[in-house]
Amino acid sequence: MKLPGVKRTTLPGSTDTMNDEFDLLIDSYLENNVGISAGFLSEDLTKGLLQNIIQLQQDDLMTSAGIGNEVLKDPLQTMRGDKIYWMDKNHLNVFEEAFLLRIEGFIEHLNSTCYTGINAYEFHYAVYEEGSYYKRHKDQFKNNSTRKFSLINYLNENWLEEDGGQLLVYQKDGFQKILPQAQTAVFFKSDEMEHEVSKANRRRMSITGWLKRI
Ligand code: OGA
Ligand code: MN
């Protein structure tokens, strides 16, 4: 299927195999509105990021996430129950830095093959404790359209169907169900795709972010 407004070119002489997962993600996105790549992050990087998130929890640095970009909060956490912590290169954490470099590589690849003009990004760690969920929503704020693409990276080893916590992405003819499996990345347009996280039956950890044009 062809998506309006998204053109794609192949870079002549491009042989970089590190970019194979980038192409997988982009190709599946172009085909199905939802890109999936099962090996976007290496095993080592995934393990390092998992360690980070466990440490952040122990240090009590993860905080309840709000909705929207203003004071509009959800004190009873009826919309979403995850806790988050924003990434920042200034943290000087090797895994965080490696992750953000990987993201920058992807953005470069996306811009040069699809003319997307992404010039900023933001990512946060997220943890859903057992029983938490995130109801059906879109990722673009009503009064701010800078978020162009959502990119989610999962850190959970051996996630099973009965663990719940699936990402449900709503397509025209139903919904697609994605297990939050370690090393897997999911990619879709922030203003188009409605999605939700079903109730997790075990602790679910991820890194979620947005590619922006500002
Ligand atoms: C979000 C979100 C989905 C997921 O943080 O906005 O929808 O699978 N996350 O974690
Ligand atoms: Mn979302």
Side-chain angles (χ1 to χ4, degrees):
M1 188 186 27
K2 206 165 175 316
L3 293 179
V6 180
K7 272 194 274 167
R8 190 173 195 319
T9 59
T10 311
L11 290 179
S14 172
T15 52
D16 190 353
T17 51
M18 268 292 281
N19 286 348
D20 285 357
E21 294 292 329
F22 294 170
D23 284 326
L24 273 177
L25 198 57
I26 295 170
D27 289 344
S28 50
Y29 158 73
L30 290 173
E31 201 143 299
N32 192 37
N33 302 314
V34 181
I36 302 180
S37 146
F40 187 82
L41 298 183
S42 72
E43 208 178 320
D44 283 352
L45 182 50
T46 302
K47 287 206 167 87
L49 292 165
L50 191 63
Q51 266 320 111
N52 280 358
I53 212 169
I54 289 166
Q55 190 64 47
L56 287 166
Q57 278 176 290
Q58 279 174 9
D59 296 345
D60 211 16
L61 288 170
M62 310 277 302
T63 53
S64 293
I67 319 165
N69 52 353
E70 332 146 9
V71 253
L72 184 68
K73 283 261 184 184
D74 179 22
L76 298 177
Q77 296 283 287
T78 55
M79 182 69 193
R80 63 186 292 186
D82 58 327
K83 289 198 156 68
I84 66 166
Y85 185 82
W86 288 98
M87 287 185 147
D88 190 331
K89 274 192 173 168
N90 293 329
H91 292 155
L92 301 179
N93 174 277
V94 281
F95 299 113
E96 201 162 318
E97 204 158 325
F99 172 80
L100 294 175
L101 277 177
R102 180 96 178 121
I103 295 300
E104 287 171 15
F106 178 67
I107 291 174
E108 215 168 282
H109 192 73
L110 182 72
N111 282 343
S112 61
T113 56
C114 297
Y115 308 111
T116 33
I118 298 303
N119 59 7
Y121 61 79
E122 58 187 358
F123 279 84
H124 63 58
Y125 299 91
V127 58
Y128 291 72
E129 292 295 351
E130 189 181 334
S132 301
Y133 54 83
Y134 193 157
K135 286 184 187 166
R136 185 169 171 166
H137 67 282
K138 279 190 208 169
D139 280 349
Q140 201 176 81
F141 303 131
K142 282 195 179 69
N143 56 351
N144 182 339
S145 60
T146 53
R147 286 180 172 182
K148 301 302 176 193
F149 295 98
S150 305
L151 177 55
I152 307 160
N153 287 270
Y154 299 114
L155 306 175
N156 314 288
E157 272 164 31
N158 305 314
W159 196 270
L160 303 173
E161 184 84 26
E162 62 256 36
D163 292 329
Q166 287 109 351
L167 172 66
L168 310 182
V169 187
Y170 290 86
Q171 300 271 12
K172 280 193 185 71
D173 50 359
F175 61 80
Q176 190 174 348
K177 199 158 80 171
I178 299 160
L179 264 56
Q181 211 68 260
Q183 295 181 254
T184 298
V186 179
F187 177 67
F188 53 83
K189 262 189 118 174
S190 303
D191 64 339
E192 268 178 17
M193 305 306 286
E194 290 196 25
H195 55 282
E196 71 178 74
V197 177
S198 66
K199 187 164 77 68
N201 300 322
R202 82 177 231 217
R203 181 187 285 170
R204 176 194 197 269
M205 287 166 285
S206 55
I207 297 173
T208 298
W210 296 275
L211 310 189
K212 302 166 62 160
R213 208 157 53 226
I214 56 176

